[in-house]
Amino acid sequence: MVYSKSADDRHHSQWMYFHSRAAWVLLVLFTVLVTPVRANDSGSPSGSLEVLRTRANEAFEDGRWADAVPLFEELYRRNPDHWQSAFRLAHCKHLAGDFEGSIQAHREAAKFPPARPASLFNIACANAQLGRTDEAISALTDAIEAGYDDLESIRTDPELASIQSDPRLEAQVEAAFGDGGDLPPLTYENLAERLEAEERDGASGALLVLRDGQPFFREAFGLANREKGIPVNPRTIFAIGSTPIDFTRASILLLAQRGKLKLEDSVTRYFDNVPSDKTGITLWHLMSGQSGLRDFHDLPGDRDPDHAWIDRDEAIRRIWNHKLLFAPGEGEEHSHSAWGVLAAVVEIVSGQTYPEFTREHLFGPAGMNDTGFFGEPIPEERLAIGYGDASDGKINAPPYWGRTSWLVMGSGGQTSTIDDMHRWHESLRSGRILEDEWLDLYWAPPGALLVGGDMFGFEIAYMQNPQDTFILMSNAVPAQRQRSWRRLIDDLVGLAAPPSGPMSPYTLGISIGVEAIGVRRVFVITGVAPESAAQEAGLETGDEIHAVDDVGTDSTDLVEMLQPALRDGRAVVLTIHRDGEPREVTVQPRKR
């Protein structure tokens, strides 16, 4: 999904790919995290780290920005390598209206590669609010060059209103967000040529393309280990972001198929001492994004938000002590923590550890001998090292990150290859793991793009189409390469799922993507053509389409629903969600 805050807050967020799973899933990294430790709200920012971060999180969550500033200052002073604290400090100063202070704090945060794009963007916002046009444009230019790619915020954020029509900014936007006209259209015949161009641009990875259900193209490009000059090959092993959500989903469905659990079971069947506000959470709520749980459960004092070790009990303790975003079943929000709870259910029901269960019941039957977990040895000649915005361990690669932590168990912390992911999909289609009834709850909708990644350089993108599809993995996607990475994936999607049938006589002027979150399917507008019917009606990139003429789109082919309007030119009423708020928009199609 697209995790979006209100237009007034969006620019304060640190957006980046972060073990995501959906079509261009983005995550706000400063999400408030709550520990179970309670403390009196005394004046001095002193005491244990546990108490300090609790007070900082509570002040943040309550919107007491000025109170949060000295607390995050102390957290950052105690751990000057913790970039999240530096960013949150700057963020709080901005929200408190201290633009001068936020500029200085964001300059400090921008020293850390993961925070740099968003911090530079926020410096631009602060300068614009202070009437410093040249400084604002300069900072925004730097943000774009550093990889900031939220074009909607650049064009519409109210704090940038004073510079959004400046031709200097428009030139930067055109240069950065152009259509890549220097690249020829991707075809089956020029795949190798395109990968050579990507390699010259600093990319590296492996690509498997299926055509008519059979492997058509299986090649690698770039270096797996730059320091030793080891090239990527099709058998290279990569970190795979949040793709393990697929395995957790299949594990729960397999246990349900065997009668070991029911999807409507409450979490109270599997956990003792569940807080009263969470007793209504069911396994289906956890799978479908309706649990109300926050996205992650790392804490400011953790060594790393993914890799710091915590065990299962500590993870559940933290998750239960989060405040819910909404009552169970009364909203939808993607949650990695929810998949962590489901991974714990797998262990409780099966009596095996999550790695043991998935190896015996999923990876073994599928023949996935190269799929594993962090901290496990990988031969040097097959190991991809990450070249992203952050680094961890003696070598920035999964064997050196420590064993998979329950910060991400069930939603991350794993490794695989393009061949193993192909074996996974084939084993599911063959019925070796799930029966048809349960497979229907597993598959993403036809044409859905599934992506995952982290801030260490690893990315994965794939589709589940049975005939024409692809699996792409990379170990070199820093912020500066995000746009070219997206362009490559967009072209591969166009190759695997080209438009079919005769062109309709009318058009709305929008492009639509399908996002898969758990078992939930969401149609999202990925582009709005200039001077189109959609633009005139007020539709925007990022709008979620939830209904067409009052008919829900949850499990429907949206293109088919729109065909009468595109064929006859009649007006259509779209129910959209923007920044979490529903609204109806009437669109009058135009002649092509």
Side-chain angles (χ1 to χ4, degrees):
M1 58 157 290
V2 176
Y3 186 104
S4 172
K5 295 179 71 66
S6 70
D8 290 336
D9 287 345
R10 186 182 300 113
H11 65 276
H12 300 298
S13 307
Q14 165 63 34
W15 298 94
M16 70 183 333
Y17 293 95
F18 194 62
H19 44 73
S20 53
R21 182 191 183 280
W24 306 130
V25 181
L26 300 173
L27 170 70
V28 181
L29 286 179
F30 67 79
T31 301
V32 180
L33 302 162
V34 181
T35 75
V37 177
R38 309 301 296 179
N40 293 327
D41 191 16
S42 58
S44 174
S46 61
S48 71
L49 183 62
E50 190 86 359
V51 171
L52 183 62
R53 64 191 184 188
T54 297
R55 293 174 57 206
N57 287 336
E58 288 176 344
F60 191 103
E61 189 169 60
D62 294 341
R64 293 182 285 110
W65 316 120
D67 292 341
V69 166
L71 299 171
F72 281 113
E73 282 178 336
E74 178 65 11
L75 282 170
Y76 184 51
R77 185 192 68 78
R78 295 190 186 190
N79 187 357
D81 294 325
H82 196 257
W83 66 265
Q84 293 95 331
S85 293
F87 186 85
R88 289 167 182 158
L89 169 60
H91 172 70
C92 289
K93 287 189 175 185
H94 195 124
L95 291 178
D98 179 9
F99 296 125
E100 288 283 9
S102 74
I103 290 172
Q104 296 304 316
H106 272 301
R107 284 175 180 163
E108 178 69 19
K111 296 176 182 178
F112 299 94
R116 183 170 177 77
S119 281
L120 291 171
F121 181 77
N122 290 341
I123 289 172
C125 291
N127 275 309
Q129 288 297 291
L130 294 170
R132 301 169 182 165
T133 300
D134 291 345
E135 290 87 341
I137 291 176
S138 176
L140 194 52
T141 298
D142 290 342
I144 293 171
E145 291 177 352
Y148 188 85
D149 57 3
D150 188 352
L151 180 58
E152 182 182 358
S153 290
I154 293 171
R155 291 196 181 281
T156 64
D157 195 293
E159 287 196 354
L160 294 176
S162 62
I163 65 170
Q164 282 159 348
S165 60
D166 193 295
R168 294 172 293 175
L169 177 58
E170 189 58 39
Q172 287 291 330
V173 169
E174 179 60 30
F177 297 91
D179 61 4
D182 55 324
L183 295 172
L186 187 65
T187 66
Y188 285 108
E189 288 69 34
N190 68 4
L191 281 165
E193 178 185 344
R194 176 61 176 274
L195 293 190
E196 290 173 2
E198 296 291 335
E199 182 175 352
R200 288 193 296 271
D201 191 40
S204 54
L207 172 64
L208 175 65
V209 175
L210 275 71
R211 191 175 187 183
D212 298 326
Q214 300 299 317
F216 174 82
F217 183 89
R218 177 177 174 272
E219 296 291 340
F221 55 104
L223 294 176
N225 185 327
R226 295 176 182 175
E227 291 71 27
K228 295 190 175 182
I230 301 174
V232 179
N233 67 73
R235 298 180 67 244
T236 294
I237 298 172
F238 298 81
I240 55 172
S242 65
T243 301
I245 287 174
D246 291 4
F247 309 143
T248 306
R249 177 191 296 105
S251 297
I252 291 292
L253 293 174
L254 181 59
L255 290 169
Q257 175 179 292
R258 293 175 176 176
K260 303 294 186 180
L261 56 78
K262 296 180 180 179
L263 300 185
E264 60 268 26
D265 285 345
S266 166
V267 293
T268 58
R269 179 176 177 182
Y270 306 101
F271 302 96
D272 297 328
N273 303 315
V274 177
S276 59
D277 63 328
K278 300 174 181 68
T279 56
I281 297 175
T282 66
L283 301 188
W284 180 252
H285 287 153
L286 294 168
M287 295 180 69
S288 60
Q290 300 178 69
S291 67
L293 295 178
R294 295 187 179 276
D295 203 357
F296 291 94
H297 46 278
D298 61 298
L299 299 173
D302 291 334
R303 178 187 66 78
D304 181 273
D306 280 10
H307 305 157
W309 170 254
I310 64 170
D311 61 19
R312 190 184 84 189
D313 289 345
E314 171 63 12
I316 297 301
R317 185 177 74 95
R318 292 185 181 190
I319 292 169
W320 287 162
N321 279 282
H322 285 324
K323 293 180 180 178
L324 288 177
L325 300 174
F326 48 80
E330 296 186 9
E332 293 186 29
E333 200 70 68
H334 182 46
S335 170
H336 285 74
S337 292
W339 293 100
V341 175
L342 289 166
V345 171
V346 170
E347 292 198 344
I348 293 167
V349 172
S350 70
Q352 296 177 288
T353 68
Y354 181 86
E356 289 171 347
F357 181 90
T358 52
R359 282 194 166 102
E360 178 178 345
H361 301 280
L362 303 183
F363 308 149
M368 298 167 64
N369 297 324
D370 292 326
T371 297
F373 292 79
F374 289 178
E376 298 174 345
I378 297 173
E380 184 179 62
E381 67 274 11
R382 299 190 63 195
L383 174 64
I385 295 175
Y387 299 98
D389 293 317
S391 180
D392 188 30
K394 180 176 67 174
I395 297 175
N396 192 37
Y400 303 91
W401 290 343
R403 59 178 173 153
T404 299
S405 170
W406 277 86
L407 285 173
V408 295
M409 188 73 79
S411 69
Q414 291 197 237
T415 58
S416 193
T417 66
I418 55 173
D419 292 333
D420 262 15
M421 287 304 300
H422 175 48
R423 294 184 184 103
W424 171 244
H425 294 150
E426 288 300 297
S427 69
L428 288 166
R429 291 191 186 94
S430 71
R432 293 201 298 271
I433 296 175
L434 292 173
E435 299 168 0
D436 288 347
E437 173 188 356
W438 302 100
L439 269 176
D440 288 343
L441 294 176
Y442 174 86
W443 292 120
L449 170 66
L450 308 175
V451 304
D454 57 34
M455 57 188 169
F456 303 98
F458 291 96
E459 296 282 345
I460 178 173
Y462 56 100
M463 302 176 75
Q464 297 174 346
N465 299 352
Q467 295 298 314
D468 298 338
T469 189
F470 70 91
I471 301 167
L472 174 65
M473 296 183 181
S474 179
N475 62 320
V477 189
Q480 293 89 338
R481 293 210 72 259
Q482 288 289 353
R483 283 187 290 274
S484 55
W485 169 255
R486 293 187 183 194
R487 187 177 300 150
L488 172 61
I489 293 176
D490 285 344
D491 289 349
L492 287 167
V493 170
L495 192 67
S500 59
M503 183 176 292
S504 303
Y506 291 86
T507 178
L508 302 181
I510 56 175
S511 57
I512 300 170
V514 184
E515 298 180 357
I517 302 170
V519 295
R520 176 185 171 222
R521 305 169 180 183
V522 178
F523 294 96
V524 176
I525 296 176
T526 58
V528 177
E531 301 181 358
S532 64
Q535 186 181 67
E536 181 177 298
L539 291 174
E540 299 178 2
T541 299
D543 288 345
E544 299 178 2
I545 302 177
H546 286 252
V548 176
D549 292 333
D550 293 326
V551 178
T553 60
D554 289 348
S555 303
T556 312
D557 185 340
L558 180 60
V559 175
E560 182 178 334
M561 295 179 72
L562 292 173
Q563 277 307 308
L566 300 179
R567 182 182 62 247
D568 304 328
R570 66 172 179 80
V572 62
V573 179
L574 303 181
T575 302
I576 66 168
H577 285 199
R578 180 181 300 163
D579 299 327
E581 297 295 329
R583 62 183 72 186
E584 289 190 349
V585 177
T586 300
V587 188
Q588 177 64 57
R590 292 182 178 176
K591 275 277 192 181
R592 291 186 181 274

